[in-house]
Amino acid sequence: MTPHDLINIIQKHERWLKRLTGGARAMMALADLQGHSFAGANLQSAKLSGANLSDCDFTGANLSLADLFAARLNRAVLVKCDLTGADLRGAHLRGARLKGAILRGADLRGGALLDRRTPTQMRVQPSDMAGVDMDEAQLSNANLAGADLTDSTLVGADCAGAQLTGCNFARANMKNANLAGSDMRGVSLVQANLTGASLRNANLAGAVLSGAVLRGADLHGANLEGVDLGGVDIAGANFTRSADSFSESVQDMLAQHKVWIESNGAKGERANLDGQDLAHIDLTRVNLGGASLKGANLTGAKLSEALLVMADFANAVLKHADLSRATLDGTNLRGCDMAGACLDQARVGSVDIKGPDGKPTGRRWPANLSGVVLQQASLKGAVMRDANLSGADLRGADLTDAVLVDANLTGADLDGAVTMGASLPAPDDPDED
């Protein structure tokens, strides 16, 4: 097909779109058009199924509703191209450039092709989009189920509500992408970069995230059933996991502990959650008084307003956990990693020790925070009277208006800590000879 022929086909197609005489729909199925330029052309609803469009330039072109079934678009330039509602099932887009392209409602699923070598058989191949550049592309409600997007880049792309089940996003760069409400069941996000991405209410059940980066990502309301977050960088990520999304054994222990609390120990059983992975669990306002969580992983856990009186968190990980307004009187937090945690207005005090007759003995059991790491933690307005903070790492912590009267700060590191308005313990008297 000569360039003259192509120009004639495009002109007639544009007349067809306007319903003018002499117009004809562009029918270029299976045509070999590699390397040609269609920049700015209006090919809406054109038939290009199975065509070889590799290395073609479609910058700013209109391919909305076009039939690109199984088309080869390897290395094609589709920058700011309108592909709204286009049929791209089984298409090859390896190395293509779609920066700023519009693919709302486009169909990029796998497609069934007739194999010319065995014409009586059909074979299904996934859409090949490995290495594709889709930065700032608009993919809301598009269907990319099963597509291979290995090493692709979707920085700032809008994929809200997209169908992405079974997609391979290994090593993809998806920084600041909008994936809110998308269906991502079973996707591979191995070593993908999702820094700052929005995954709010996305369905990630069964997704593989090993080595992925989710720093500052918004996963509020996301379904993470069956997702292993081990080895995933989730620093600063915003999401919670309801208790009923954890294993049955964890759910049972929490249920039994509630009965134990409400019956004053007559029924149920005190929870032993030692060593459990409870990262990002939502235990807001839950009463875990007396529970054992030694060595547990509670990274990013929501424990706001929780009652944690006399609980044992020795050597647990509570990085970036929310303990604002929680009650931790008499709690054992020895050796915990609480870097970046929020304890604003938390009560971390002591508990009256009672005798066998149930009467106060006059002695108190203080909260134990010896050796705790509270780097960059927020403790604004926290009440920590009598707390043992010996050897604590409070570098860069915000202690604005905190109350630490009679607290033990022996060997504590307060370098860079903000103590404006804080009530600190009186300095020790100098030794007298």
Side-chain angles (χ1 to χ4, degrees):
M1 190 176 295
T2 67
H4 181 271
D5 293 333
L6 281 177
I7 292 172
N8 188 45
I9 288 172
I10 293 171
Q11 289 176 341
K12 286 186 176 181
H13 184 75
E14 289 177 346
R15 292 184 67 83
W16 176 76
L17 289 171
K18 295 176 182 178
R19 299 188 178 182
L20 299 175
T21 57
R25 182 185 182 189
M27 305 291 285
M28 295 182 282
L30 301 175
D32 187 355
L33 303 169
Q34 182 170 352
H36 284 292
S37 176
F38 298 92
N42 188 351
L43 288 165
Q44 179 182 355
S45 301
K47 188 167 182 61
L48 293 156
S49 53
N52 181 6
L53 302 167
S54 298
D55 304 302
C56 285
D57 185 357
F58 288 97
T59 302
N62 184 355
L63 285 165
S64 59
L65 303 175
D67 181 358
L68 290 155
F69 183 91
R72 291 191 172 273
L73 287 151
N74 296 328
R75 302 174 302 280
V77 179
L78 294 140
V79 176
K80 295 184 178 179
C81 180
D82 187 354
L83 288 150
T84 302
D87 185 354
L88 286 151
R89 287 174 296 162
H92 282 233
L93 287 147
R94 184 178 287 265
R97 294 167 54 197
L98 289 105
K99 184 171 183 178
I102 303 171
L103 292 112
R104 294 193 187 99
D107 193 342
L108 288 133
R109 293 174 295 167
L113 295 175
L114 190 64
D115 192 331
R116 292 181 177 177
R117 293 169 297 179
T118 55
T120 59
Q121 297 182 6
M122 300 291 286
R123 60 187 175 91
V124 177
Q125 64 178 38
S127 294
D128 185 353
M129 303 174 71
V132 69
D133 178 357
M134 301 181 79
D135 290 351
E136 301 173 18
Q138 299 178 42
L139 289 146
S140 55
N141 299 312
N143 192 336
L144 290 88
D148 182 2
L149 286 136
T150 305
D151 297 311
S152 60
T153 172
L154 291 96
V155 176
D158 183 4
C159 304
Q163 176 59 254
L164 304 170
T165 54
C167 282
N168 185 0
F169 288 104
R171 301 182 300 279
N173 185 356
M174 305 169 78
K175 291 177 64 176
N176 300 315
N178 180 14
L179 295 150
S182 58
D183 189 345
M184 302 179 73
R185 288 173 295 167
V187 300
S188 173
L189 290 161
V190 175
Q191 297 180 27
N193 186 352
L194 289 139
T195 301
S198 173
L199 291 144
R200 183 175 284 259
N201 299 317
N203 188 352
L204 285 153
V208 180
L209 282 83
S210 56
V213 178
L214 286 148
R215 282 180 169 268
D218 184 359
L219 289 118
H220 187 76
N223 180 5
L224 296 163
E225 183 180 354
V227 176
D228 182 3
L229 292 171
V232 179
D233 186 348
I234 49 178
N238 174 30
F239 70 101
T240 56
R241 302 168 67 189
S242 62
D244 57 15
S245 71
F246 287 79
S247 66
E248 289 185 7
S249 60
V250 168
Q251 293 179 53
D252 184 61
M253 280 188 275
L254 291 171
Q256 288 297 314
H257 187 82
K258 183 179 180 181
V259 174
W260 183 76
I261 288 287
E262 293 174 347
S263 67
N264 290 317
K267 298 178 181 179
E269 188 175 354
R270 183 170 69 97
N272 184 337
L273 294 159
D274 294 351
Q276 291 283 346
D277 184 359
L278 304 172
H280 295 275
I281 192 171
D282 189 352
L283 294 171
T284 302
R285 300 188 186 88
V286 170
N287 189 341
L288 281 175
S292 182
L293 296 106
K294 295 191 293 288
N297 178 16
L298 289 142
T299 300
K302 304 297 181 185
L303 291 155
S304 178
E305 300 183 44
L307 296 176
L308 306 169
V309 178
M310 299 294 283
D312 192 349
F313 287 89
N315 300 311
V317 179
L318 287 146
K319 295 174 69 174
H320 303 288
D322 181 3
L323 290 140
S324 57
R325 299 180 300 282
T327 302
L328 296 115
D329 293 342
T331 304
N332 183 19
L333 293 158
R334 175 180 55 83
C336 281
D337 185 351
M338 302 179 74
C342 177
L343 289 98
D344 293 348
Q345 299 179 50
R347 180 185 175 89
V348 192
S350 52
V351 174
D352 289 325
I353 298 176
K354 297 180 181 180
D357 57 0
K359 296 181 179 180
T361 62
R363 292 181 292 122
R364 299 181 68 80
W365 186 271
N368 182 7
L369 288 89
S370 58
V372 71
V373 176
L374 283 161
Q375 287 184 31
Q376 305 297 322
S378 181
L379 298 111
K380 290 181 288 189
V383 179
M384 306 179 78
R385 291 177 181 272
D386 304 322
N388 180 8
L389 285 152
S390 60
D393 185 350
L394 287 153
R395 288 177 293 171
D398 189 346
L399 293 159
T400 301
D401 297 326
V403 179
L404 290 100
V405 177
D406 297 325
N408 180 4
L409 288 167
T410 304
D413 191 343
L414 289 157
D415 186 36
V418 179
T419 58
M420 185 180 299
S423 302
L424 300 173
D428 293 334
D429 292 332
D431 293 334
E432 297 181 0
D433 294 330

